[in-house]
Amino acid sequence: MIKRKNINKRAWFSSPYIIWVVGFTVIPMLVIFRYAFTAREGGFSIENVLALFDPIHFKALLFSLKIALGCTVICILLAYPMVLAMRRLNLGQRGFALFIVILPMWMNFILRILAWQMILSPNGILNFIVQKLGLQPLAIANTGTAVMIGVVYDYLLYMILPLFNAIAEIDEDILEAARDLGAESLTIFFRIILPLSLPGLLSGIVMVFVPSMTSFVISDILGGGKMQLIGNVIEQEFTKSANWNLGSGLSVTLMIFVLISMAFTMKNDVEGKKSAIW
Amino acid sequence: MRKRKNAVLLAVVLGAACVSLAGCGGKEKEKRELTVFNYGEYMDPDMIDQFTEETGIRIHYEEALTPEEMYTKYKSGAIEYDLLCTSDYMLQKLIEEGEFQKIDMDQLEYKNNIGERYWEFSKAFDPENAYTVPYFWGTVGILYDTTKTDGPVDSWDVLFNGKYAGEIVMQNSIRDTFMVALKYLGYSLNSDSEAELREAQELLLKQKPDVQAYLVDEARDEVVAGNATMAVVYSGEAYLGHQYNENLAYVVPKEGSNVWLDSWGVTKYCDDLDAAQQFLDFLCREDVAKKNFEYIYYSTPNEAVLASLSEEERADESLVPPDDATENCEVSVQMSQETTDLMDTLWKELKAD
């Protein structure tokens, strides 16, 4: 009886969080749903929710998927060697390596993307170096490549951290045993490290894939307004076209897409091991 | 939550009671206040203090970035703005929706400082000059680097003939970019003909590979930094660009362009029209208009200020557009919902290509 009372009391500690979530996540979400299922002239309508399948919007969605997939693959390819190298470090060095990885996050994300714009622009730092080396200047600014560089740069951390957590937990003895039994490095990677790091990999994929699919600021700044992701379309509907209903409708459908892809990842989770985010 | 609501209600009722009591107590003691809504960095902040010093009327100053943002904030009704400064087509929308009240222009001692020409421009959205007082104005044109162009730049043609492929920055704004194409094709920038708009879109689609980027505020910076040869910009931006890099020049193409006008209006929520009119009159006064002009450096419609400018400043076309430069120019007006939707779709198609 007393114990139960204590638990009830402690539940109150969560109230600030609950107020936060209700006020800033649940209620706005309901508002978005309301807008999504209302025609601009008023009255129920499903048109805005289905608008994602409109050819223009669908094209933007496909481009977003392309960017998100590319970004995820590149992040995986970059993160594995990085994390495997970090695994070999001693405790202090590991802390320092993590610190270096997280360091850029201390600066505002828009500023970092603007810095990339400076680096990639025709008269920018990159071309200055390239020309000093006597090579032809590169035209990366305002292309899909620039957007890809931006999203990879921005979301790589979210692949490294969960992956690092998963791989750091692997017992060295297991790897040694494998080596004793004559396993090659590649075999060790594919038969031991990869399966054991799968939970980290999956949460990394979710944390990279979802935001890179829905981002719009990076494509706006590094794509020079020429690259249209689905996020840019939604932004335009809200800020330029004043069509909140269509913007909300697209958001809701996109959210469903994201939820489906997340459910898919969760379902493929390995043997009951939850894919912990961090 | 329910309790909270009641508390708020109670506070509002009590507040209202206080106000009505104070009203009985005598009007002189009542503090006069105005809530003013303006674009960001669009007034010398010292002028707000000066106004309060001179008249005792307190100003609550609010800012927004774009006309659309202003409209959304205003319409949400969270704050009852008394005075609002926004752009031509948005003013028209607000007037048509009955959001503004008529200003007694005879009460404005200094309204004659505003040149006749600008009252004429205003008639595009305020036919009787009853609701709005011009504040700043300008044109849209091409800012270009004279060291990188060869031959004259006096036509929109330079953006479409492929000569400067990859060196062009267009505006990342639906109406401004369509304006360029429509004017180049010889149509009105307020065209609501689907055929003309589609023709303009076709032209812009053809131009897209030549466009380096679609930008808003950074358009000027790209030309200043030498990343682009030319950009479509607002005249005020062009003046500032010239300050950074003296090789830059600004031209309003001969086919005509957009003349934009930002003006003040008094909203229907304002219950102290006299105070609002004092504020508008204050803004028209020469010394105040000059301070604001020196703070913003957009073209001023205030002829008293223009007369006081140096020769050099007056010769700068981006600062003081000459009469013949605006000959073929038009003020943009609010489009019908149908046309707006069509332009939005055409714009998305352009961006998706």
Side-chain angles (χ1 to χ4, degrees), chain A residues 82-101:
Chain A
M82 169 84 189
V83 168
L84 288 175
M86 276 162 74
R87 190 188 141 81
R88 295 185 171 234
L89 303 174
N90 67 37
L91 211 57
Q93 287 171 325
R94 266 187 199 184
F96 185 70
L98 272 179
F99 168 74
I100 295 286
V101 170

Side-chain angles (χ1 to χ4, degrees), chain A residues 55-56 59-60 226 228, chain B residues 208 347-353:
Chain A
I56 319 168
K59 207 170 167 184
K226 290 172 86 178
Q228 183 162 262
Chain B
K208 195 182 174 192
W347 179 252
K348 278 190 283 194
E349 282 172 10
L350 171 68
K351 285 302 199 72
D353 187 56

